[in-house]
């Protein structure tokens, strides 16, 4: 397999982990979830770390794990956390060392997915009901959009599939 580093970015609930696993399997590449990498590194869950160490320390761990993966792995599919592109020049690092793919799903669908999955593992969303959650996701999307739009590939759909991602990768290769 050729060297292939794919970074899936987007808001919580956009399908980065689910689609990332399927994409990695399809491409024969290892799959990593940045949050899982952080949990292994710090020895606790993201919600625990967030509450004990705060968001600023979490963002430092996130950046260090990202850069460690870039430094040690030639090929992979990585599901980043929703905020990862927005801190510590992470978006620049991802664009420099691989292909970034923005999974852009509308806030209403994201809110439904997050509520279905349960908010206990998503520290930024744990205190919202559905309407407040949609408003919070809209605000978060607006704040992060400038980073997300730097992605080399953007897929805007509420039902993104691995086939769609593979098709975009193939058409990008041809350019």
């Amino acid at each position: 397999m050729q060297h292939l580093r794919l970074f899936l970015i987007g808001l919580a609930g956009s399908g980065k982990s689910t689609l990332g696993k399927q994409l990695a399997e399809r491409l024969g590449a290892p799959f990593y979830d940045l949050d899982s990498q952080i949990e292994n590194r710090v020895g606790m869950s993201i919600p625990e770390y967030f509450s004990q160490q705060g968001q600023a320390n979490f963002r430092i761990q996130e950046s260090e794990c990202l850069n460690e993966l870039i430094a040690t792995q030639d090929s992979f599919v990585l599901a980043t956390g929703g905020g990862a592109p927005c801190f510590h020049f992470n978006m620049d690092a991802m664009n420099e060392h691989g292909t970034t793919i923005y999974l852009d799903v509308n806030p209403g669908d994201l809110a439904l997915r997050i509520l279905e999955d349960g908010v206990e593992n998503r520290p930024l969303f744990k205190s919202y009901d559905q309407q407040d959650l949609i408003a919070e996701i809209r605000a978060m999307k607006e704040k992060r959009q400038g980073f997300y739009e730097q992605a080399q590939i953007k897929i805007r759909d509420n039902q993104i599939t691995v086939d769609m991602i593979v098709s975009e990768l193939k058409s990008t290769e041809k350019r």
Side-chain angles (χ1 to χ4, degrees):
M1 182 183 70
Q2 66 185 29
H3 294 310
L4 180 73
R5 290 180 174 153
L6 301 177
F7 300 92
L8 300 182
I9 66 169
L11 289 167
S14 61
K16 299 179 301 287
S17 296
T18 302
L19 291 167
K21 286 176 195 159
Q22 296 168 3
L23 182 62
E25 192 172 305
R26 171 91 62 94
L27 300 173
F31 171 75
Y32 297 98
D33 184 289
L34 193 54
D35 284 350
S36 296
Q37 297 293 114
I38 296 165
E39 288 176 342
N40 291 338
R41 183 182 183 150
V42 300
M44 63 179 81
S45 72
I46 299 298
E48 287 174 303
Y49 190 82
F50 230 80
S51 69
Q52 290 179 24
Q53 303 295 321
Q55 185 174 190
N57 285 321
F58 170 76
R59 296 299 178 195
I60 291 167
Q61 290 293 334
E62 185 175 59
S63 185
E64 289 177 358
C65 281
L66 173 67
N67 286 303
E68 197 173 284
L69 202 61
I70 289 169
T72 61
Q73 303 298 314
D74 288 332
S75 297
F76 56 80
V77 174
L78 176 68
T80 67
C86 311
F87 297 91
H88 303 285
F89 301 101
N90 292 340
M91 193 67 191
D92 293 339
M94 291 186 285
N95 275 330
E96 185 179 328
H97 296 284
T99 303
T100 48
I101 304 168
Y102 173 28
L103 305 180
D104 186 7
V105 177
N106 83 48
D109 282 338
L110 293 175
L112 287 174
R113 291 179 190 180
I114 290 167
L115 291 169
E116 282 174 14
D117 289 348
V119 293
E120 52 280 340
N121 291 322
R122 301 190 187 272
L124 294 177
F125 298 123
K126 64 182 174 199
S127 61
Y128 295 100
D129 66 18
Q130 186 172 346
Q131 287 308 309
D132 289 342
L133 185 57
I134 293 170
E136 179 62 22
I137 291 169
R138 276 195 186 109
M140 190 174 278
K141 183 175 184 174
E142 195 173 301
K143 197 161 74 176
R144 294 177 175 178
Q145 195 72 7
F147 292 97
Y148 292 162
E149 288 297 328
Q150 294 173 39
Q152 294 142 337
I153 296 174
K154 299 162 196 75
I155 302 176
R156 302 180 200 286
D157 197 293
N158 294 328
Q159 298 297 322
I160 298 170
T161 65
V162 171
D163 288 338
M164 292 164 83
I165 298 170
V166 169
S167 173
E168 286 293 327
L169 284 168
K170 286 178 179 169
S171 70
T172 302
E173 283 175 4
K174 292 176 186 170
R175 287 182 209 148

